[in-house]
Amino acid sequence: MNAPAGPAPLLFALQESRLAALDGLVRGLWLGGLTNAQGSVEARLAALAELRAALVSGRLPPFEAWRWPPPAIARGLVEAMQGLDLARYCRDEGELADTVLMSILFHVDFIVDYLDRGADEARAVGMAVDAFSADWQDRCGDMDKLADVFGMIPDDAKSTRWDRIRGLLRSEGWQEVVRIRRLLERLPELAALIRRLGRAAETDEPDEAGRVTVQEIEQATAHCAERSTVRVPDMPGETRGIHRADRIARMLPAEAMLLGHPRLRLVWHARRAERTLLCYEDDDRMQEIRRHEETVRRPTPRPQPAKRFEMGPMLLCVDTSGSMRGGAEAVAKAAVLEAVRTAHTQRRACHVFTFGGPGELVDMTLPVDADGIGRLTRFLGQAFRGGTDVCGPIEAALAKLEEARWQQADLVLVSDGEFGATADVAARLRTMRRERGLHVQGVLVGDRETIGFLEVADDIFWVRDWRRYGGVDTDSPLDSNSLTARFFPGALRTQANRDSTTSGATASAAVRAGRHRDDPQPENSA
């Protein structure tokens, strides 16, 4: 019989225990944590794990508590990180905290190179800390810009892929993004409207902010009482009748007479042995209550987190026709930017359709990353031009609503209302609103509600003062700043109208002189 096999020998257990701290670090920190020139590997790995946990919690330990790097380096790093307030940026942002740690490893590793180039130790440490501080000073400023515009820090800004987005922040298009963001501060009602869009749907995720009381059925132990009847022989009680028994004390007198007869005495003994003596029947029963434990199921009120209600996705159709140029264009861009901000802050889906004339339809997905910010920058930086065909974007949005992901979406239509949908498209939209509960929110950036807009929208949010957002050099999409220019052009006090109008005094003088309209004016006439 073979002997039982023993445990496998742990030849490398001692060596592997030195690297146990690697289990708490992301793979991107392994190489720098193992090969850095400063300190021992055990202290370095443990310090990286502790520092990462502190940064994610939003705090920065004092340099005396750092196991690595040496105190002289740790002091400089702590001062630089406190000056930049890096702990604030890293709160609940594990990926950004990992990027900070990789940057520390990178810059600290250059200290030996500075020493080889002739710098003393203090100078070498200062050069490394200054390089780290300069690197993150620019990045923190850019992250503040992104957070101000989007309400959050994009994922690309939290990782080493930062260079993809840095160039966008230096472009001219980004300045237009910042301008539109400032415009949103002057349109709080529009921003609030965008945030309310989307049909609420209950999710499986708990909402700790709201709690409800539910009845839970659970097992419990109950003390139950069981009532039973017990017979107690010879217990005195109420006489109920006559029965046959062997109880001498309760036998009838007729049975007792048998004992006095010389022969019947034997009959009495036989009947007693057979328990057939006629005896009085007593109520010798009593009620007994026995208590015992029993497992029961009972409802128990228990507070629980309510289910989180998630706002549904959003579909935006934005009019980019030539009639939208100026203030209307700025308001439309502001609606798109607020939709992107809201979608990514609340983790909702958002899709944008921009439309002009027939065939001029562009659909965009705008995630808050380098690609999405690039597309958003190009969109906000372009000028609106072309005609208006609202049927194309509505049909594209209806097709999107057939997908499972977008069935809870609301549709937002941003336009000046200078359009009209075909009867077929309008009927399909009404069917979707009636059968699927679709809500079509209109944002009117024009002077009047049109029949075309009223036909396709459930509700219209009217931005009446849209011209003020276009700047001083912006042309109005209408002939003037009022509808009077279209319907009563002669009533406007324009320079051309004033030049062609005769004053009352001049008209009176002409009548007195007997002149007519076609007569040449005198040279000295006013």
Side-chain angles (χ1 to χ4, degrees):
M1 180 179 295
N2 296 329
L10 301 179
L11 299 178
F12 303 101
L14 181 61
Q15 290 80 354
E16 291 180 354
S17 63
R18 299 176 57 197
L19 307 179
L22 286 175
D23 296 336
L25 299 177
V26 298
R27 196 174 187 88
L29 290 172
W30 285 10
L31 180 60
L34 290 172
T35 62
N36 196 271
Q38 298 294 327
S40 62
V41 64
E42 295 91 342
R44 184 165 58 248
L45 295 177
L48 289 174
E50 295 171 358
L51 184 56
R52 184 186 188 279
L55 290 175
V56 172
S57 65
R59 60 184 179 86
L60 182 65
F63 76 93
E64 297 88 354
W66 287 34
R67 299 194 201 181
W68 175 91
I73 305 175
R75 181 194 297 272
L77 289 174
V78 168
E79 292 176 355
M81 295 173 73
Q82 287 177 342
L84 297 170
D85 199 10
L86 277 180
R88 173 175 63 89
Y89 294 97
C90 295
R91 181 186 296 273
D92 299 326
E93 298 289 351
E95 190 174 1
L96 183 58
D98 295 333
T99 305
V100 172
L101 295 179
M102 283 187 275
S103 180
I104 291 176
L105 290 168
F106 175 79
H107 289 288
V108 167
D109 207 24
F110 272 98
I111 293 179
V112 293
D113 294 334
Y114 300 145
L115 293 173
D116 291 341
R117 297 172 188 174
D120 57 15
E121 185 173 355
R123 175 60 178 162
V125 172
M127 293 172 66
V129 172
D130 291 344
F132 170 81
S133 179
D135 187 11
W136 281 92
Q137 187 170 8
D138 292 340
R139 181 175 292 196
C140 289
D142 290 338
M143 285 192 295
D144 288 336
K145 296 177 184 177
L146 291 168
D148 178 63
V149 171
F150 296 108
M152 59 177 291
I153 301 176
D155 293 336
D156 287 0
K158 306 172 188 176
S159 64
T160 55
R161 301 186 299 272
W162 172 250
D163 290 338
R164 297 182 58 197
I165 202 171
R166 176 176 293 178
L168 294 172
L169 302 182
R170 306 295 186 269
S171 64
E172 295 182 0
W174 178 254
Q175 303 308 315
E176 180 66 11
V177 176
V178 174
R179 188 184 74 82
I180 297 299
R181 171 66 184 94
R182 296 291 177 263
L183 173 59
L184 276 172
E185 298 175 358
R186 301 162 59 189
L187 292 166
E189 296 85 1
L190 177 61
L193 173 71
I194 296 295
R195 289 193 293 269
R196 292 194 301 267
L197 292 173
R199 284 163 280 172
E202 187 178 272
T203 65
D204 295 330
E205 300 181 9
D207 182 9
E208 297 297 339
R211 306 186 72 84
V212 295
T213 300
V214 297
Q215 298 289 338
E216 288 189 356
I217 304 298
E218 60 180 16
Q219 291 186 349
T221 301
H223 295 275
C224 301
E226 182 178 356
R227 186 181 299 271
S228 61
T229 301
V230 182
R231 290 198 63 201
V232 182
D234 300 328
M235 183 185 74
E238 179 182 358
T239 301
R240 300 177 57 187
I242 298 174
H243 69 135
R244 294 187 180 275
D246 60 348
R247 297 180 61 186
I248 299 176
R250 302 298 294 164
M251 69 180 178
L252 269 63
E255 298 289 348
M257 292 179 61
L258 297 178
L259 291 174
H261 195 280
R263 293 183 179 180
L264 295 180
R265 182 169 54 86
L266 296 177
V267 175
W268 182 90
H269 283 289
R271 293 173 66 176
R272 179 174 180 266
E274 295 173 353
R275 304 182 66 172
T276 58
L277 294 174
L278 294 176
C279 301
Y280 292 108
E281 181 182 5
D282 295 329
D283 190 4
D284 56 355
R285 293 171 295 180
M286 62 176 297
Q287 297 292 325
E288 181 183 33
I289 298 177
R290 300 178 60 186
R291 298 184 179 277
H292 64 280
E293 294 183 351
E294 184 177 347
T295 301
V296 297
R297 296 173 62 85
R298 64 182 180 185
T300 302
R302 194 178 304 277
Q304 288 186 352
K307 295 296 185 181
R308 184 170 66 87
F309 278 83
E310 181 180 66
M311 301 302 288
M314 294 179 290
L315 295 172
L316 267 74
C317 295
V318 182
D319 186 355
T320 60
S321 61
S323 62
M324 291 284 289
R325 292 171 56 191
E329 173 185 328
V331 174
K333 292 177 178 178
V336 173
L337 179 58
E338 182 59 31
V340 173
R341 285 165 47 87
T342 302
H344 290 279
T345 301
Q346 300 179 353
R347 298 294 188 265
R348 300 161 59 185
C350 177
H351 200 86
V352 180
F353 299 93
T354 64
F355 65 95
E360 298 176 351
L361 176 64
V362 179
D363 59 313
M364 300 181 295
T365 301
L366 300 175
V368 181
D369 55 18
D371 295 333
I373 293 175
R375 289 195 293 269
L376 180 64
T377 301
R378 290 190 294 272
F379 169 73
L380 298 182
Q382 71 182 14
F384 290 0
R385 61 183 67 86
T388 305
D389 176 25
V390 75
C391 295
I394 291 180
E395 290 178 341
L398 293 178
K400 204 79 174 173
L401 288 167
E402 296 294 339
E403 303 176 13
R405 181 187 180 190
W406 299 94
Q407 288 182 357
Q408 293 294 325
D410 276 347
L411 177 61
V412 186
L413 182 58
V414 185
S415 176
D416 59 358
E418 300 292 334
F419 62 77
T422 63
D424 178 62
V425 171
R428 290 176 56 195
L429 191 59
R430 286 194 299 270
T431 301
M432 187 68 72
R433 289 152 63 182
R434 182 178 63 254
E435 298 180 356
R436 301 283 186 87
L438 172 66
H439 177 75
V440 182
Q441 175 66 55
V443 177
L444 174 61
V445 280
D447 291 297
R448 72 187 191 280
E449 296 173 313
T450 63
I451 298 299
F453 216 149
L454 291 171
E455 188 178 30
V456 299
D458 295 301
D459 181 62
I460 295 179
F461 176 79
W462 199 340
V463 185
R464 299 177 184 269
D465 55 347
W466 53 274
R467 287 188 180 85
R468 63 187 294 188
Y469 306 116
V472 295
D473 298 326
T474 302
D475 295 328
S476 171
L478 296 177
D479 301 329
S480 178
N481 290 341
S482 135
L483 287 176
T484 309
R486 174 170 293 181
F487 299 104
F488 307 99
L492 296 176
R493 297 179 180 178
T494 62
Q495 186 63 41
N497 287 345
R498 286 198 296 268
D499 294 339
S500 61
T501 302
T502 303
S503 66
T506 303
S508 299
V511 170
R512 288 194 297 268
R515 295 194 304 269
H516 298 279
R517 177 182 299 177
D518 298 333
D519 294 341
Q521 295 291 331
E523 296 180 359
N524 59 351
S525 62

